[in-house]
Amino acid sequence: MNSLNKIKLQCLSLAGLVAFSHAVSAHTGLLPTDGFSHGFQHPFLGLDHFLVMLGLGLWASSQSRLLAQQAIALFLLFMPAGALLGLAGLDLAYVETAILVSLLSFGIALGYGTNKLPKAIILLSIAIFAAMHGLAHGSEMPAAASGYAYVAGIVSGTALLHFSGLILGLLIRRANAAGLIRIYGTLTGLTGAWLLFA
């Protein structure tokens, strides 16, 4: 693929992502929270969740196999833990801010890389962001059996997005089109900044 075609593909992809971001504008508190199916849908319909979940998979595609596995496993462990704490009544004042900071952080990681950060800092950040995403959802869920099914649905949808991002990232890198991932990271970071400061 020559340079001109790569630029065209990147521009088309960016346009698609921007259009998608306007179409998928649902956010925490705006979607139904009853049962597995609603939980499964949320990662795909909540813009903040979608960008971070797919972004983690895209980021993992450029890391060692061990770090990629650890990052995804940590997210899938700490997100439901945070959701269960929220379901139990824990409420933190700046959860939404932390979620928007996670958008900024993943945007920077995808756009500029995190190779200079210690592995422990990267994994700790992922665990904290996962817990904050989970806590936000858990605090809005019904205190009933359907709430636990909702958590299971969110974890399933999140895992699907993680692995979709991982596979997509590997395919993009194999096609020597890593610029697409940087564009995605830029869009994610700008979305986080816009929501944070709007």
Side-chain angles (χ1 to χ4, degrees), residues 80-104:
L84 292 175
L85 287 173
L87 188 58
L90 179 65
D91 187 21
L92 298 179
Y94 297 102
V95 170
E96 289 298 323
T97 301
I99 288 173
L100 298 180
V101 169
S102 76
L103 283 169
L104 280 170

Side-chain angles (χ1 to χ4, degrees), residues 43-160:
F44 300 91
L45 299 178
L47 177 60
D48 56 343
H49 206 117
F50 179 88
L51 290 173
V52 169
M53 302 314 116
L54 192 66
L56 178 59
L58 289 170
W59 173 83
S61 71
S62 67
Q63 308 304 312
S64 69
R65 179 176 293 182
L66 177 60
L67 182 55
Q69 290 172 343
Q70 289 173 333
I72 290 174
L74 268 179
F75 205 104
L76 294 177
L77 177 66
F78 276 83
M79 191 187 67
L84 292 175
L85 287 173
L87 188 58
L90 179 65
D91 187 21
L92 298 179
Y94 297 102
V95 170
E96 289 298 323
T97 301
I99 288 173
L100 298 180
V101 169
S102 76
L103 283 169
L104 280 170
S105 300
F106 276 96
I108 291 168
L110 289 167
Y112 300 101
T114 56
N115 295 337
K116 296 180 180 179
L117 290 177
K119 179 180 174 181
I121 297 296
I122 292 171
L123 293 178
L124 178 62
S125 299
I126 288 171
I128 291 171
F129 290 145
M132 293 300 102
H133 275 268
L135 186 61
H137 301 309
S139 62
E140 69 183 9
M141 290 187 301
S146 61
Y148 297 103
Y150 181 80
V151 172
I154 278 195
V155 172
S156 300
T158 296
L160 181 58

